[in-house]
Amino acid sequence: MTLVLNVLSVALILVGLTFVLGGTVGLVRLPDLFSRAHAASKCDSVGAGSILLALALQGGLAFGDLKIVLLVLLALVSAPTTAHALARAGYRTGLRAWTRPEREDA
Amino acid sequence: METETPNMRIVTMTAALLIFWNVVVPPEGWVDVLVGTVASLALAVWAARFLWPHAGPHHSSLHMARIPGFALLTAKRIVIAAAQVLRIVMDPRLPIEPFVVRQTVHFDEEAARVVYANAITITPGTLTLDVDGDAVTVHALGPELARDVVDGTLARDVARLFERRQPS
C-alpha cells in the first residue's frame, strides 16, 4: 500500500511540476497580458492541485488531509477569479488584445 | 428549496465558513473558536449586505441534483484547459489566433452570471475580460477553442443549473 501511495505521489508531483513549468513558459512566450493570464490561471491551478494531492497521499489519507483537499478546491476557484480580475483591470484601462499580424503572402 | 431570507443566508454562510475554519485551523482553545466564529459571522454579514444584497439563487431539488454533475464537468474542463494551454506554449510554432468576442447572454439569476463568467475562464482557451449587465466580453486563444462559448453550449449548461426558466 505504501509503495502504491509513493508511486501515485511521485506521479502527481511530476504532473504538477509539468503544469507549473508550462504555466511559467507560457508567461514568457505568450504575447500579451490576456494570453498570459490563460497560462497563469489554467496551468498553475492544476499544477498546484496535483502537488497538493500528492502531499495528501503522503499524509496517509488521514482526516487532516481534508485540509489539503480544501486548499485544492480553493486553488481551483481562486485561480480563474484572479486571472479574470487581472484581465478585467487590463481591459478596462484600455489594453488591447494582441492579434497575429497578417502574413504578406496571404 | 425555497429562496432563503437574508438572515437565513447569514446563518447558513456563517456555518459553512465556521466548518471551513475548523478544518483549516483546528481549534486548540476557546480563543480559536471565538476568533473563527466572529470572523465567519463578520464575513457572512458583509457578504449578505454587499456581495449578495438581493435574494439568493433559487434552487429546486432538480437544480441541486445537477450540481455534482456540473462540478465534475467543471473539474474535467479545468484539467483539459491546462493540458490545452500546456500543448500550445510548448509548441515551437505557438499556434494561437487570439481574438476578443462580445456576446449577450441573459440570465435571470445573478449567481448564474457569476458562474458563467467563471466557467468561461476555466474553459479551455477562453477568458472572461468583462461582464456588464448581459454583455460578456471574452478573450479566446483561437476560434476552435471558443466554440462552446460562442455557440451558447456553456450558457445553456449554466442556465440548466441556476435558472427557473429552462433553456430550450
Side-chain angles (χ1 to χ4, degrees):
Chain A
M1 187 64 183
T2 311
L3 179 68
V4 174
L5 286 181
N6 282 341
V7 170
L8 274 175
S9 302
V10 170
L12 280 170
I13 287 171
L14 288 176
V15 168
L17 285 176
T18 308
F19 278 111
V20 171
L21 177 69
T24 310
V25 171
L27 281 180
V28 176
R29 289 198 71 202
L30 290 168
D32 65 349
L33 173 88
F34 305 130
S35 306
R36 286 174 183 156
H38 286 270
S41 64
K42 286 152 191 176
C43 289
D44 283 1
S45 55
V46 173
S50 295
I51 293 169
L52 284 170
L53 282 178
L55 288 179
L57 289 180
Q58 281 299 303
L61 301 175
F63 178 74
D65 296 334
L66 189 58
K67 193 190 292 187
I68 294 178
V69 174
L70 280 177
L71 289 176
V72 172
L73 293 176
L74 195 64
L76 292 181
V77 172
S78 62
T81 309
T82 312
H84 166 63
L86 283 171
R88 184 170 180 261
Y91 182 72
R92 290 207 167 181
T93 50
L95 199 65
R96 293 292 136 229
W98 177 90
T99 52
R100 193 174 282 283
E102 294 289 330
R103 285 190 203 138
E104 285 181 9
D105 58 341
Chain B
M1 190 188 291
E2 294 301 318
T3 303
E4 291 176 314
T5 62
N7 285 343
M8 268 304 290
R9 261 186 288 155
I10 290 173
V11 171
T12 313
M13 196 171 171
T14 303
L17 288 170
L18 203 51
I19 291 170
F20 182 80
W21 171 272
N22 282 313
V23 171
V24 176
V25 187
E28 290 179 1
W30 66 270
V31 176
D32 288 348
V33 176
L34 184 68
V35 169
T37 307
V38 170
S40 302
L41 185 64
L43 199 55
V45 169
W46 175 82
R49 185 163 295 179
F50 298 108
L51 209 54
W52 300 296
H54 309 296
H58 166 86
H59 286 308
S60 66
S61 47
L62 184 64
H63 287 132
M64 297 299 281
R66 283 176 176 153
I67 286 178
F70 185 78
L72 280 178
L73 188 65
T74 302
K76 184 179 146 197
R77 279 185 175 137
I78 291 173
V79 176
I80 292 174
Q84 290 264 20
V85 173
L86 186 66
R87 187 182 58 79
I88 287 170
V89 300
M90 292 301 185
D91 189 323
R93 294 169 296 139
L94 202 63
I96 56 169
E97 298 283 344
F99 66 97
V100 174
V101 61
R102 192 176 163 89
Q103 63 173 178
T104 304
V105 185
H106 178 72
F107 292 111
D108 293 330
E109 304 283 352
E110 182 75 18
R113 205 171 296 143
V114 173
V115 170
Y116 181 62
N118 234 357
I120 288 173
T121 300
I122 58 178
T123 296
T126 54
L127 176 75
T128 306
L129 293 185
D130 203 8
V131 181
D132 187 9
D134 287 345
V136 182
T137 310
V138 179
H139 180 268
L141 286 178
E144 200 57 32
L145 294 167
R147 202 183 331 144
D148 276 2
V149 174
V150 173
D151 71 11
T153 305
L154 190 62
R156 279 192 294 277
D157 283 351
V158 173
R160 237 177 246 124
L161 194 67
F162 285 95
E163 297 284 277
R164 291 166 199 254
R165 288 181 295 118
Q166 292 301 294
S168 53

